Amino acid sequence: MKRSISLLMGLLLLCLGLSAQGLDKFKNKPPLALSGSLRLSASYYSITGAPNTQNPFSWVLSGTPTLSVFGIKFPVSFSYRGSNLETNLQFPLNRFAASPSWKWGRLHLGQRSMRLTDYTLSGRDFNGVGVELNPGVLRFAALSGNFRNVQTQADSLTQLALILPSFKRNGFGGKLGVGTAQNYLDFIFMKIEDQEETIVFQSPEIATPVSLPKDNVVLGSDLKLTLFKSLSLRLNGAASLVSDKDSSLGIPLDTLNLDRWLEPLSKVIEPNLSTRWGLAGDAELSLKLKAFSIGAKYHRVDPYFRSLGTFFIRNDIESYTGKLGLRLWENKFNLNLQAGRERNNLSGLKARTQSRTIGSASLFLNPIKALQINLNYSNFQRDNESGFVEIEDTLRVVNLTQLQSLNISYRAKTQGPTLRLRASVSRQSIEDQSVYRPIDNHLNSLVGSFHAGLHWKEAGFRLTPSLQYRQMDFRGDLRQTYGFGLQLSQALLEKKLRLQARFSLRQTMSQQGNDNTALNLRASGRFKLSKRQNINLNLHYLSRQYQAVDRVDRSTFRLNFAYSFNF
C-alpha cells in the first residue's frame, strides 16, 4: 500500500513539475489562501417500545477546507465522530478525504470514488489513493485502496437488523488511453480481492453465515468517436474472471479450458473449480441533429460476468434496440422512443429461453408557461447503482421490469401568493432478485400524490399540504397506505431566522392483518448569526403502531444542534 501511495504521489508531482512554467499565470494571485467551512453538531436519541440500538448522545466534527497555493487548489473533507458506539467496520465512521487538483491533474486521498467504465469501476468508493492525469491527449488514471464490501450493510431479510460478516476487500487498477472528451480510446485493468482470515465484522450474539472470499480481475476498453459533430460511435466492453478463494477448490491450470487470450489473466488470479469468466459490453451508433435524433444499440452481458467494482450488473441478457427523439417548438415538445428485442439463456443451460419485446417512451409537454406535463413508460431498466426501490433494504437487488408514470405541475403567480400544484401517479412492477428468497419475488406497486403550495415571497411564508396513496402487492399481501402531510415555513428577523415544521400521518391496511399507523413530526430552525456563521436546531418525533397478533407501540425522538462557520 505504501509503495502504491509513493508511486501515485510521484507521478502527480512529476507531471506538475513538468508544467511549472504554468505558474506564471498565477503570479498576481496570493501565494496562500484558505477557504471552506467547519461544522460541529451534537445529537440526542431515545426510543420507547423497543431496545435502544443507538448511542443516546453523539457529536460530529466535519469540514471542507480548501488550501490554494498560487491558484492551485487542494480541497480536503473530513468527518470525525465522537460517541460510545463500538464498531470495527472496514469503513469507519471517522472519515477523511482530499482531492487536490491543478489544471489536468487530480489526486485522490482517503475515502474517494472514481469511475472508469460501467463494467469495470463505477460507483464503488474506496479508502486509499488515486490519481487522474489528462495532459494533452494522454488519459491516465490509477488507484489503490480498501473497497467497501456491500455485505457490511444492514440486512432485514434475516428478520433482524444486523451486519453481515464480510472480508476486507483490497483492490488496485487504472486506465491508459489517448484522446479528448469527444474522441478517445481507453484500456482499463481492475484487480479486487478479499483477504482470507480477515473477517471485518462478526456479530458476537448471532451466528450468521459467511460467504467465501472473492477474487476478481477485469479487463476493459472504452472507445468513442464523434464524426461531423453529430454522428457518434461508442464501444464499451469488459472481460471478467471471478473465483471463490477456497483451497479445497484448487485444480491444475491446464484443466480449466480457458480461451488463449484469457490465459495471461491466470497470472494475477488463482483459478479453481469455482472460477467463471464472462464478457460484457455494448455498442451504440447515434445521430443527433437540432430537432431530431436517431440511434441503435446492442447490449450483451454473459451469464457469469461479474465485477466487484460495480454495484450490480444484470447478466445473462442480450438486446437490440433502436431509439428516436424529437424536439419541437423551442423544446416545448420533447418525445423520446426506444424499442427492441431482449433475450436470456445465452449459454443454453437453462430449461427455457425467454424472449420479449422491450420499449420505453417519454413525452414532455409545455403548452403554456405555467403548465408542464411528463408522461413515461418503460418495461426494462438497466441500473448498477445502489439505493432504495420501494422495499427498504440496501442488500436487495431488484430489477424494474415495468414503469408507467404521469406528472403534471402548474404554477400561477397572482397579486398575492404564488400557487404551485403538482400531481403524480406511477405504477411499477419489480422483480426481487435477492438470493435469500428466490421464489415468487415479484412486487407490484401503485403510487399517487398531490401537492399544493402557497408562497408569499414578501412575507417569507410557505404553506404546502399534500395527499399520498400507495398500493403494494407482494407475496399475495395487498397493502394500501393513505397519507396526509402539511409543511409550514416562515422567515423572521429580516430573514435571518427561518422556522419550518412538517407533519405527516400514514395509515397502512394489510390483507394479512399487518396494519400500522405512523405519525411523523419534524421541526427546525436556522438562525444566521453573521455572514459566516449559522446555527441549526432540528427535532424529529416518529410514532408507530403495529397491529399483528398483538398491538405494538414504538416511538423515537431525535434532537440535533449544529454550528457552522464559513471562511
Side-chain angles (χ1 to χ4, degrees):
M1 182 66 180
K2 294 182 179 179
R3 297 178 64 181
S4 299
I5 295 176
S6 300
L7 175 61
L8 296 178
M9 289 285 290
L11 285 172
L12 180 61
L13 293 175
L14 174 62
C15 293
L16 292 177
L18 291 176
S19 298
Q21 295 178 353
L23 289 173
D24 293 339
K25 298 179 180 180
F26 307 105
K27 61 182 181 180
N28 295 325
K29 295 189 176 182
L32 291 176
L34 183 64
S35 61
S37 65
L38 293 175
R39 179 183 175 90
L40 176 63
S41 64
S43 62
Y44 171 78
Y45 169 84
S46 67
I47 184 171
T48 58
N52 193 346
T53 58
Q54 298 186 25
N55 190 51
F57 177 79
S58 64
W59 59 270
V60 179
L61 176 64
S62 60
T64 57
T66 298
L67 176 66
S68 296
V69 182
F70 292 101
I72 306 175
K73 294 184 177 181
F74 296 86
V76 176
S77 64
F78 68 90
S79 175
Y80 181 80
R81 180 182 298 267
S83 69
N84 295 325
L85 181 65
E86 295 182 0
T87 176
N88 60 348
L89 296 181
Q90 61 187 43
F91 273 66
L93 297 175
N94 303 324
R95 299 177 179 179
F96 170 84
S99 293
S101 63
W102 182 72
K103 297 183 74 173
W104 40 260
R106 180 181 294 272
L107 180 66
H108 301 284
L109 298 171
Q111 185 186 336
R112 298 280 76 184
S113 64
M114 296 171 60
R115 183 188 179 279
L116 300 181
T117 67
D118 291 340
Y119 302 112
T120 55
L121 179 67
S122 177
R124 285 286 185 214
D125 53 344
F126 64 95
N127 196 7
V129 59
V131 63
E132 295 180 271
L133 304 174
N134 296 285
V137 297
L138 177 64
R139 296 163 57 90
F140 175 80
L143 68 146
S144 177
N146 174 217
F147 282 75
R148 182 187 297 275
N149 192 331
V150 69
Q151 286 185 311
T152 61
Q153 301 183 35
D155 172 33
S156 65
L157 291 173
T158 59
Q159 308 301 324
L160 293 171
L162 51 85
I163 297 176
L164 294 182
S166 60
F167 296 89
K168 185 177 181 181
R169 177 166 290 177
N170 294 331
F172 64 92
K175 75 173 182 181
L176 180 62
V178 294
T180 63
Q182 299 299 320
N183 296 276
Y184 61 81
L185 173 62
D186 295 335
F187 295 98
I188 301 98
F189 171 81
M190 283 300 304
K191 162 74 171 180
I192 300 179
E193 180 181 8
D194 291 336
Q195 303 301 305
E196 298 179 86
E197 308 300 331
T198 58
I199 295 180
V200 174
F201 182 88
Q202 177 68 62
S203 173
E205 301 176 354
I206 304 174
T208 51
V210 181
S211 62
L212 291 174
K214 306 294 183 184
D215 193 0
N216 182 219
V217 172
V218 183
L219 285 178
S221 63
D222 191 8
L223 171 68
K224 182 180 180 181
L225 296 176
T226 303
L227 306 173
F228 313 114
K229 296 183 179 181
S230 57
L231 181 66
S232 63
L233 172 66
R234 182 76 182 272
L235 300 175
N236 181 19
S240 169
L241 273 176
V242 62
S243 298
D244 290 333
K245 298 178 67 176
D246 189 342
S247 58
S248 64
L249 301 174
I251 57 173
L253 177 62
D254 55 8
T255 64
L256 271 178
N257 192 28
L258 294 176
D259 286 359
R260 291 183 177 179
W261 63 276
L262 285 172
E263 289 184 3
L265 293 181
S266 63
K267 297 180 180 180
V268 290
I269 184 174
E270 184 177 351
N272 55 44
L273 288 172
S274 70
T275 302
R276 297 291 185 270
W277 73 274
L279 302 176
D282 54 73
E284 183 175 10
L285 181 65
S286 59
L287 175 65
K288 294 184 179 181
L289 302 176
K290 184 176 181 180
F292 173 80
S293 64
I294 190 172
K297 184 174 183 177
Y298 170 75
H299 173 77
R300 177 188 172 101
V301 182
D302 285 347
Y304 295 113
F305 181 87
R306 184 179 181 185
S307 172
L308 299 183
T310 64
F311 280 106
F312 170 69
I313 295 178
R314 187 185 176 200
N315 55 19
D316 194 17
I317 202 74
E318 183 182 45
S319 65
Y320 302 82
T321 55
K323 62 180 182 180
L324 173 67
L326 293 175
R327 297 174 297 279
L328 304 174
W329 304 313
E330 297 180 349
N331 284 329
K332 293 182 178 181
F333 175 91
N334 286 329
L335 176 64
N336 292 283
L337 302 174
Q338 190 172 358
R341 294 289 295 177
E342 178 185 84
R343 74 179 184 96
N344 66 353
N345 197 16
L346 305 185
S347 62
L349 299 178
K350 294 182 179 180
R352 187 178 64 174
T353 299
Q354 295 179 332
S355 179
R356 66 185 183 119
T357 299
I358 58 175
S360 66
S362 66
L363 175 64
F364 170 79
L365 295 175
N366 187 201
I368 59 176
K369 186 177 181 179
L371 180 64
Q372 293 185 355
I373 301 173
N374 287 273
L375 183 63
N376 298 278
Y377 167 82
S378 175
N379 69 349
F380 75 105
Q381 174 176 313
R382 303 187 189 97
D383 188 3
N384 66 346
E385 297 182 357
S386 65
F388 299 103
V389 185
E390 296 296 341
I391 42 182
E392 298 177 353
D393 194 313
T394 55
L395 275 182
R396 294 204 190 195
V397 176
V398 298
N399 176 36
L400 184 60
T401 58
Q402 195 171 102
L403 167 68
Q404 303 99 35
S405 67
L406 173 64
N407 298 276
I408 302 175
S409 62
Y410 177 80
R411 180 180 182 273
K413 185 173 178 58
T414 64
Q415 293 182 350
T418 299
L419 173 65
R420 289 185 173 90
L421 301 175
R422 186 171 75 253
S424 65
V425 59
S426 65
R427 184 179 182 87
Q428 295 184 3
S429 296
I430 297 172
E431 178 184 342
D432 181 6
Q433 299 184 347
S434 168
V435 296
Y436 296 93
R437 293 177 177 173
I439 301 176
D440 189 21
N441 290 346
H442 292 278
L443 181 149
N444 298 313
S445 68
L446 175 66
V447 180
S449 65
F450 174 77
H451 294 76
L454 292 174
H455 180 205
W456 283 268
K457 185 176 181 181
E458 292 77 10
F461 179 74
R462 291 178 183 267
L463 173 66
T464 309
S466 61
L467 297 172
Q468 301 91 29
Y469 172 78
R470 173 175 294 178
Q471 176 180 297
M472 299 180 65
D473 185 4
F474 185 58
R475 299 180 180 277
D477 183 16
L478 180 63
R479 298 185 180 186
Q480 298 184 80
T481 300
Y482 301 86
F484 168 75
L486 182 64
Q487 180 175 345
L488 302 171
S489 176
Q490 177 66 64
L492 301 170
L493 303 177
E494 298 180 350
K495 297 184 179 181
K496 291 183 178 180
L497 175 64
R498 177 168 291 279
L499 302 176
Q500 289 187 336
R502 298 180 182 180
F503 163 84
S504 67
L505 179 65
R506 293 185 302 174
Q507 174 69 47
T508 299
M509 295 174 288
S510 167
Q511 283 185 336
Q512 297 183 0
N514 299 318
D515 299 347
N516 69 81
T517 303
L519 172 64
N520 201 334
L521 299 173
R522 293 179 181 270
S524 64
R526 182 176 183 271
F527 183 69
K528 191 173 183 179
L529 291 173
S530 65
K531 186 177 180 180
R532 298 175 179 270
Q533 302 178 77
N534 294 286
I535 292 179
N536 293 271
L537 181 66
N538 295 277
L539 298 93
H540 180 209
Y541 175 77
L542 175 62
S543 176
R544 291 179 180 267
Q545 295 179 353
Y546 302 90
Q547 186 66 48
V549 178
D550 298 315
R551 174 174 167 171
V552 177
D553 294 335
R554 183 178 301 170
S555 63
T556 59
F557 175 76
R558 300 176 187 270
L559 174 64
N560 181 267
F561 172 83
Y563 167 80
S564 60
F565 175 73
N566 300 313
F567 54 90

